[in-house]
Amino acid sequence: ASMSDADVGFASHCPSCGQAGETRFENLAAGFENKCRNCGATGGVLSGPMWLGPLHDPAHLREMHRRAAVRGWASAEGNAEQRGLARLLEAMEGEAAAGVARLANAYRVTSLLKGRGLRRTPGVTALVDALRDAGHAACGSHLSPEAIKTDADVNQ
């Protein structure tokens, strides 16, 4: 895959409502308003510059997963290390899927929902399934077991 200007930019986070997103370099030209698309607050946090393109190659990940399983390194029914590697590869495969491969929107589910007053938070799998059922692209994140990537706004 080749890199383009569209693959580099800034991840954004609104401290007022928790909305995550991204801002491309071309959007930082004169007149840029750092305004949340969800709540309208200004002063959001920009992190970067960073890579905003796809993180993983789906075919490469499938082959890695196959080889790890053949060698006994990754197994959903194995010991803790084998289960951990299987979960990591599955999360990376989910991130490589169409609809989420280019998303910088990531939410730490527990932090976000507890910050909204919820004492009991749904599991990541249940939340991802609900977002998909509502028509959104969503997956868990390999960066944290409590994080998701989705095209849904924070209020959805």
Side-chain angles (χ1 to χ4, degrees):
S2 63
M3 185 173 101
S4 72
D5 289 342
D7 292 325
V8 180
F10 298 82
S12 61
H13 172 79
C14 177
S16 296
C17 71
Q19 179 68 41
E22 58 189 48
T23 300
R24 305 294 176 171
F25 270 112
E26 61 268 15
N27 296 336
L28 296 179
F32 171 70
E33 287 187 27
N34 189 5
K35 189 173 180 181
C36 178
R37 71 173 189 235
N38 182 58
C39 73
T42 58
V45 177
L46 294 179
S47 301
M50 67 178 63
W51 179 257
L52 297 176
L55 294 177
H56 317 290
D57 177 80
H60 185 77
L61 282 172
R62 282 191 299 275
E63 182 61 15
M64 282 176 54
H65 203 159
R66 186 192 69 74
R67 288 183 183 195
V70 166
R71 288 176 174 79
W73 299 344
S75 171
E77 295 82 35
N79 64 33
E81 288 180 3
Q82 293 166 325
R83 290 190 313 269
L85 181 55
R87 281 192 306 268
L88 173 64
L89 290 168
E90 288 164 8
M92 292 168 71
E93 288 173 24
E95 289 175 324
V100 290
R102 300 189 68 85
L103 288 177
N105 299 10
Y107 299 97
R108 292 184 66 96
V109 175
T110 305
S111 302
L112 180 67
L113 296 177
K114 285 189 177 177
R116 291 175 173 238
L118 295 176
R119 290 184 165 190
R120 296 183 64 198
T121 59
V124 168
T125 302
L127 186 56
V128 166
D129 289 345
L131 286 165
R132 288 177 178 165
D133 289 346
H136 296 286
C139 69
S141 171
H142 79 280
L143 298 174
S144 169
E146 68 175 45
I148 63 167
K149 291 179 75 174
T150 182
D151 62 354
D153 285 337
V154 70
N155 291 328
Q156 296 172 313

